């Protein structure tokens, strides 16, 4: 099993954190993991992305050229990464902010109204967690329990107060994907 | 074995330096290694250490001089343009035989270049870097675990040889997060610090200097003494790792992040029956020329392929080791770009056909 995930969106949407959550959870579950953020010139409002690998094997290159999963939170990210996804890979699209359909026919696509679901969970900014929940449901890679236990280990101290909302967002994303599938 | 933790390369190297007994850090911020001063600023005061943000890299490296001559374990870090600014100080450290660890998390150049990951300071790092006849041991990690392990060694090697040691990573190694087990402190017996300037009361005065004007020939004598140290480093400190070399017809030579991309391509090529192996230098200086020379002597080895994040710098050392005995090919990306798996695989296929 090797999952190569690219998570991309606006700076401030928490894509780096979402990637770190996957990496941490993978480590807890005994997998080999790596996480590389895009760095430096990105800032709130710019684009940001990270590459996460979760594997039973030793990870040679930590760089992801062809992701098996692409999670996009905004439209520029979809445009940038759509073509790179491996054939029969997955694309998870934040439908709340992306008004364009995926053109590829050889991938599995799931549209998630992540901002809307996050609002319902208690904070629109938890859209990253909604997408993580949805990804969990479609890949079945980790249990919801491990990922929720990992959450406080990767979130900065000042954002621990959103833990309950984030957990709810993960659950609601998970349920949405289960029902959509 | 200790507990696995998830850390960024830049942070892991700091924690490891603290485990190694480093209590002094002087530096000036630059991407992609800003997590280093940030981590040290928070962490060093907790262990009664000293973090100081200097007004420039020149100032930082000379503060390193000061702490080192007082006998303390000290480090600085920067990225390519900042490391260029430190070269005068590094040359002085080598001349005065002062131990220090200098971490370069390389970015694209020349000039201010870009903030993207790069290996384009290979020449600078392996040829001394500053003026004068000297070398530094250059350690090139490929993972977060390895950069942490290497820091422990780097401080020991600096003390053993009384010479600056360079840890040469790139932006990917610094920014990447991977699980690691933090290393244990070294148990090596180190030479006595009988040169340290720590107050001369009750003993003869000591002098540490890099200017040698008299008697005539003093500098040459000193240079020859340094040469003996450099020869000893060449005898004792060459490190490299071999992957699938026992039946390899094509030998890839790559270090750091480029070596990891090369390994992915090597596995893919092996899956298709191409006998590809990888030799990964861990010390860039001293260089594993003997190991490469031995491979060049083998009849089954048809060619070498050097992979770097530059326009071909280690390539020159590979040529010097192979000495025309086999063909040498090159694949590189530069300007802050990383090697592309597809492109490199294409190159391997091309070399094989």
């Amino acid at each position: 099993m090797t999952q190569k995930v690219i998570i991309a969106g606006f700076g401030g949407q928490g894509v780096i954190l979402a990637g770190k959550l996957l990496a941490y959870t993978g480590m807890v579950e005994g997998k080999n993991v790596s996480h590389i953020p895009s760095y430096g010139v990105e800032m709130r409002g710019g684009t940001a992305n990270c590459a996460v690998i979760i594997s039973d094997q030793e990870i040679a290159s930590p760089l992801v050229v062809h992701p098996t999963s692409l999670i996009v939170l905004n439209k520029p990210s979809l445009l940038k990464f759509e073509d790179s996804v491996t054939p029969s890979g997955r694309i998870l699209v934040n439908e709340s902010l992306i008004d364009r359909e995926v053109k590829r026919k050889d991938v599995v696509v799931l549209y998630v109204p992540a901002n809307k679901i996050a609002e319902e969970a208690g904070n629109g900014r938890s859209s990253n967690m909604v997408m993580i929940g949805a990804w969990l449901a479609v890949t079945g890679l980790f249990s919801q329990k491990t990922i929720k236990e990992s959450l406080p280990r990767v979130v900065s101290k000042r954002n621990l107060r959103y833990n309950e909302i984030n957990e709810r967002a993960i659950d609601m994303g998970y349920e949405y994907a289960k029902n959509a599938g | 074995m200790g507990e696995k933790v998830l850390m960024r390369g830049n942070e892991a190297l700091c924690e490891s330096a603290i485990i190694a007994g480093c209590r002094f850090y002087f530096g000036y911020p630059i991407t992609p290694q800003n997590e280093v001063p940030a981590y040290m600023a928070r962490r060093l005061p907790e262990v009664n250490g000293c973090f100081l943000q200097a007004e420039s890299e020149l100032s930082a490296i000379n503060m390193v001089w000061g702490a080192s001559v007082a006998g303390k374990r000290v480090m600085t870090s920067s990225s390519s343009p900042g490391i260029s600014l430190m070269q005068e100080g590094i040359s002085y450290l080598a001349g005065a035989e002062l131990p220090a660890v200098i971490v370069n998390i390389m970015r694209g150049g020349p000039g201010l270049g870009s903030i993207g990951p790069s290996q384009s300071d290979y020449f600078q790092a392996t040829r001394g870097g500053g003026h004068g006849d000297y070398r530094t041991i250059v350690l090139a990690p490929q993972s977060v675990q390895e950069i942490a392990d290497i820091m422990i060694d780097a401080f020991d090697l600096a003390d053993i040889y009384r010479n600056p040691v360079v840890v040469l990573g790139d932006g990917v190694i610094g920014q990447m997060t991977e699980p690691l087990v933090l290393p244990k402190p070294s148990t090596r017996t180190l030479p006595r610090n009988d040169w340290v300037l720590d107050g001369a009361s009750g003993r003869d005065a000591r002098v540490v200097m890099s200017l040698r004007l008299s008697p005539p020939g003093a500098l040459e004598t000193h240079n020859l003494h340094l040469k003996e140290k450099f020869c000893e480093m060449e005898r004792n400190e060459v490190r490299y790792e071999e992957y699938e070399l026992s039946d390899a017809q094509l030998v890839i030579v790559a270090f750091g992040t480029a070596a990891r991309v090369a390994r992915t391509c090597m596995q893919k090529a092996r899956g298709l029956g191409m006998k590809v192996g990888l030799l990964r230098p861990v010390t860039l200086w001293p260089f594993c020329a003997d190991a490469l020379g031995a491979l060049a002597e083998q009849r089954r080895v048809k060619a070498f392929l050097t992979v770097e994040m530059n326009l071909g710098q280690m390539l020159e050392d590979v040529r010097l080791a192979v000495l025309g005995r086999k063909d040498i090919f090159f694949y590189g990306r530069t300007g802050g770009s990383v090697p592309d798996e597809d492109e490199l695989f294409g190159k391997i296929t091309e070399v094989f056909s």
Side-chain angles (χ1 to χ4, degrees):
Chain A
M1 184 285 300
T2 298
Q3 281 279 345
K4 299 183 176 185
V5 189
I6 286 183
I7 310 175
F10 288 126
Q13 280 185 304
V15 301
I16 309 293
L17 174 69
K20 210 169 169 198
L21 178 58
L22 290 189
Y24 192 91
T25 310
M27 180 181 78
V28 170
E29 296 223 340
K31 311 286 186 199
N32 293 306
V33 299
S34 66
H35 172 260
I36 302 182
S38 60
Y39 62 82
V41 284
E42 287 80 11
M43 57 187 87
R44 184 174 289 271
T47 61
N49 69 78
C50 66
V52 180
I53 301 181
I54 304 153
S55 181
D56 292 323
Q57 284 96 47
E58 193 189 342
I59 296 167
S61 173
L63 306 169
V64 174
V65 184
H66 301 296
T68 54
S69 291
L70 171 65
I71 302 172
V72 280
L73 280 90
N74 70 352
K75 193 169 165 182
S77 300
L78 176 61
L79 300 179
K80 183 173 177 187
F81 291 110
E82 178 174 350
D83 288 341
S84 68
V85 178
T86 195
S88 76
R90 292 176 191 282
I91 303 184
L92 278 73
V93 179
N94 176 12
E95 186 175 53
S96 302
L97 297 182
I98 303 173
D99 59 359
R100 174 186 171 281
E101 290 202 347
V102 173
K103 290 192 173 150
R104 291 270 299 269
K105 298 294 174 217
D106 59 343
V107 294
V108 184
V109 185
L110 178 68
Y111 297 94
V112 183
N115 289 64
K116 185 168 158 275
I117 293 173
E119 294 286 355
E120 286 165 21
N123 190 332
R125 283 167 64 182
S126 291
S127 59
N128 56 344
M129 294 298 141
V130 174
M131 296 303 276
I132 290 296
W135 181 85
L136 212 57
V138 295
T139 59
L141 202 60
F142 311 129
S143 71
Q144 275 163 284
K145 184 170 168 285
T146 337
I147 209 154
K148 282 195 271 183
E149 282 169 3
S150 301
L151 191 57
R153 307 297 298 273
V154 296
V155 171
S156 64
K157 275 194 195 113
R158 74 188 161 87
N159 285 329
L160 278 177
R161 56 201 159 118
Y162 298 117
N163 210 51
E164 220 174 287
I165 295 171
N166 281 333
E167 284 193 2
R168 203 152 52 230
I170 291 171
D171 286 341
M172 289 172 75
Y174 188 93
E175 289 309 317
Y176 181 87
K178 274 282 174 226
N179 295 332
Chain B
M1 208 168 85
E3 192 199 349
K4 265 195 178 170
V5 291
L6 193 67
M7 287 179 97
R8 206 176 258 219
N10 280 337
E11 295 178 339
L13 79 87
C14 292
E15 193 55 41
S16 184
I18 290 167
I19 292 169
C22 173
R23 291 294 178 272
F24 293 85
Y25 174 95
F26 309 106
Y28 186 83
I30 182 170
T31 304
Q33 61 81 59
N34 283 325
E35 293 79 11
V36 177
Y39 193 93
M40 287 308 211
R42 189 178 75 241
R43 195 71 179 87
L44 275 175
E46 293 174 2
V47 293
N48 294 318
C50 169
F51 164 88
L52 204 151
Q53 181 175 321
E55 69 270 37
S56 75
E57 288 84 352
L58 276 74
S59 177
I61 194 70
N62 285 294
M63 291 176 182
V64 167
W65 216 103
S68 178
V69 84
K72 301 300 179 188
R73 283 201 155 174
V74 54
M75 69 174 280
T76 185
S77 66
S78 188
S79 181
S80 308
I83 295 290
S84 287
L85 288 167
M86 291 182 184
Q87 290 304 333
E88 179 197 47
I90 297 172
S91 168
Y92 277 51
L93 286 165
E97 294 189 88
L98 290 174
V101 174
I102 295 133
V103 178
N104 180 2
I105 301 297
M106 291 178 283
R107 58 188 253 175
L112 266 185
S114 80
I115 61 166
S118 172
Q119 298 179 328
S120 53
D121 303 345
Y122 179 94
F123 282 150
Q124 184 191 57
T126 58
R127 268 60 181 170
H131 62 279
D133 229 349
Y134 77 97
R135 301 280 190 163
T136 57
I137 292 177
V138 182
L139 299 159
Q142 64 160 354
S143 67
V144 174
Q145 180 71 64
E146 195 175 34
I147 202 168
D149 293 344
I150 268 178
M151 290 304 287
I152 304 284
D153 268 342
F155 281 99
D156 277 2
L157 292 171
D159 281 345
I160 289 168
Y161 294 103
R162 285 183 60 184
N163 201 62
V165 169
V166 173
V167 175
L168 198 67
D170 62 67
V172 171
I173 305 287
Q175 292 297 321
M176 177 167 54
T177 300
E178 283 183 321
L180 80 154
V181 178
L182 284 166
K184 298 221 174 333
S186 160
T187 52
R188 243 193 293 228
T189 315
L190 297 171
R192 237 157 43 87
N193 282 0
D194 54 4
W195 46 269
V196 165
L197 307 190
D198 55 358
S201 79
R203 62 161 171 80
D204 288 343
R206 296 166 177 167
V207 179
V208 174
M209 60 181 178
S210 78
L211 179 67
R212 288 179 169 79
L213 296 176
S214 63
L219 180 58
E220 187 174 30
T221 307
H222 180 63
N223 281 144
L224 293 173
H225 158 67
L226 293 181
K227 182 195 166 193
E228 274 176 31
K229 288 202 308 188
F230 301 142
C231 288
E232 208 183 321
M233 292 175 200
E234 285 183 305
R235 277 195 301 276
N236 301 333
E237 308 303 341
V238 176
R239 293 174 204 184
Y240 57 91
E241 226 173 51
E242 298 178 338
Y243 305 84
E244 314 245 15
L245 279 179
S246 60
D247 64 344
Q249 294 173 332
L250 173 65
V251 176
I252 301 178
V253 190
F255 67 95
T257 296
R260 293 191 60 171
V261 178
R263 243 163 79 210
T264 291
C265 295
M266 180 191 81
Q267 287 160 0
K268 194 173 163 190
R270 287 230 158 224
L272 294 170
M274 290 181 262
K275 288 183 176 164
V276 181
L278 168 69
L279 191 139
R280 178 175 74 90
V282 177
T283 50
L284 302 182
W285 195 89
F287 190 67
C288 50
D290 291 347
L292 277 169
L295 285 165
E297 283 292 322
Q298 305 234 9
R299 272 185 61 188
R300 67 175 158 79
V301 174
K302 305 293 178 215
F304 292 82
L305 170 60
T306 306
V307 181
E308 298 177 68
M309 285 148 64
N310 59 45
L311 291 173
Q313 300 192 12
M314 181 175 67
L315 177 62
E316 295 193 1
D317 283 334
V318 175
R319 282 188 187 135
L320 285 170
V322 172
L323 281 174
R325 284 171 283 191
K326 295 288 156 68
D327 287 338
I328 302 170
F329 298 87
F330 176 74
Y331 167 76
R333 290 292 299 268
T334 185
S337 295
V338 289
D340 181 288
E341 272 169 46
D342 298 341
E343 279 177 20
L344 176 54
F345 185 72
K347 185 77 186 179
I348 292 170
T349 317
E350 183 192 311
V351 170
F352 250 91
S353 56

